[in-house]
Structures are given as structure tokens and as C-alpha cells.
Amino acid sequence: AQVNIAERKQDPAEAALTKAIKCDGNLLEPYYVLATLFVAQKRLADSESLLKQGLRVAPSAWPLLNLMGRTHYAMGKYPEAAQDYEQAQSFHPEMPADFHAELANTYVQLDQYGRALAEMETYLRLDPHGHFAASARKITEAMRKQGVTPVASPGRPPSAPPPT
């Protein structure tokens, strides 16, 4: 499947991953890789359905929950996306920096600006020179000027302020 994906042969990759899931439904990687392939193909309902199957096998699999958050976000299901992201983080507190940018965007869609600000600051603390750092700095500055104060996500203490 990985070779087919690298060669952009999506149909054979999908067939191989589907077969892997049928052969051993307890392996999580085929769920993740196939759902990622579906997201790339804009087959969001297929990704959501497949991830639900994988999460029945492993309800605390944070990579599947994180990808479910991305899938739900792309579908415009922002409350579900926030719940997925929060659940992923509850199982894996040391999420990568980009996760916090994705969660911040989700909170913005939900008009939860204090939470969005807290997540952007976490992103900046973890990756001050990252891909989204310049825009995150501008947005956090604008939010602070508007009087927004950071609010920790459920089950998480507020982060330290980002470096300046």
C-alpha cells in the first residue's frame, strides 16, 4: 500500500489497505493510512466511517482521534472536531505543535476565542519559528488587542506565554 501511495496508485493502495483491515482488524495503521488517503481524495464520509471502525477497536488511539478531528473539521462539523481533538490530547498530552494550530482554528470556528488564543500561544511556545508562527503571532496580537484572554482547553492547564 505504501509503495502504491508513493507511486500515486490510489486504487491499488486502497485495495491493499482494505485487505489488511479484513485480515487483521486490530492493526491500527491501515485504518490511519486509508483514512488519510480518503481525506486527500476529499472522501470525508468514507474517512469518518473508517475511523469510527478503527476507534471501536482502539477507543484511545490518539492518532485516529486526531485524524477524526481533521476529518470533522473538513466536513464543517466543528463541535465534533473540537471533541475529537480534545479527546486525542487527553490520551496523548504531548501533541505536536501543528495540532495546537488545528485546534485553535476549530475553536475560532466555534467562536471560542479564549481557547483559540491559548492554543495559538501553545503552538508558538512549541514551535516559535514554525510554518504558522508568523500568522499565529499576528492573530494572537490582534486577539489580545480586542481584549481576548487565553482560556485552557478542557482538562488542560493554561500554557506558559510564548517567547517574544
Side-chain angles (χ1 to χ4, degrees):
Q2 294 290 3
V3 170
N4 286 324
I5 290 170
E7 293 177 355
R8 299 183 190 264
K9 297 178 181 175
Q10 294 179 354
D11 290 340
E14 182 178 340
L17 292 163
T18 300
K19 186 173 184 176
I21 292 168
K22 285 181 182 175
C23 288
D24 187 349
N26 291 318
L27 293 174
L28 299 182
E29 186 176 4
Y31 290 103
Y32 183 85
V33 174
L34 184 55
T36 301
L37 183 64
F38 287 157
V39 170
Q41 296 173 342
K42 306 279 191 251
R43 294 171 54 189
L44 301 174
D46 290 335
S47 177
E48 179 185 39
S49 176
L50 183 65
L51 288 166
K52 284 180 182 178
Q53 289 176 22
L55 288 166
R56 279 194 286 275
V57 172
S60 62
W62 71 266
L64 297 183
L65 287 162
N66 187 38
L67 185 53
M68 182 69 91
R70 282 191 218 135
T71 300
H72 280 148
Y73 185 92
M75 297 173 89
K77 295 181 175 183
Y78 305 120
E80 291 91 337
Q83 182 179 10
D84 299 331
Y85 286 136
E86 290 164 2
Q87 203 172 10
Q89 189 170 36
S90 76
F91 292 119
H92 186 72
E94 300 302 318
M95 296 300 277
D98 286 359
F99 166 87
H100 297 283
E102 293 171 7
L103 182 54
N105 287 335
T106 304
Y107 286 145
V108 166
Q109 294 298 324
L110 295 170
D111 297 331
Q112 295 179 10
Y113 300 110
R115 286 183 175 168
L117 178 59
E119 292 301 326
M120 283 186 229
E121 289 179 344
T122 299
Y123 169 80
L124 288 169
R125 182 177 46 78
L126 293 174
D127 195 0
H129 305 290
H131 183 71
F132 306 113
S135 61
R137 273 190 197 80
K138 288 178 189 174
I139 294 167
T140 57
E141 185 178 311
M143 290 174 109
R144 287 206 174 266
K145 284 181 182 176
Q146 294 283 329
V148 176
T149 57
V151 175
S153 297
R156 221 172 67 116
S159 64
T164 53

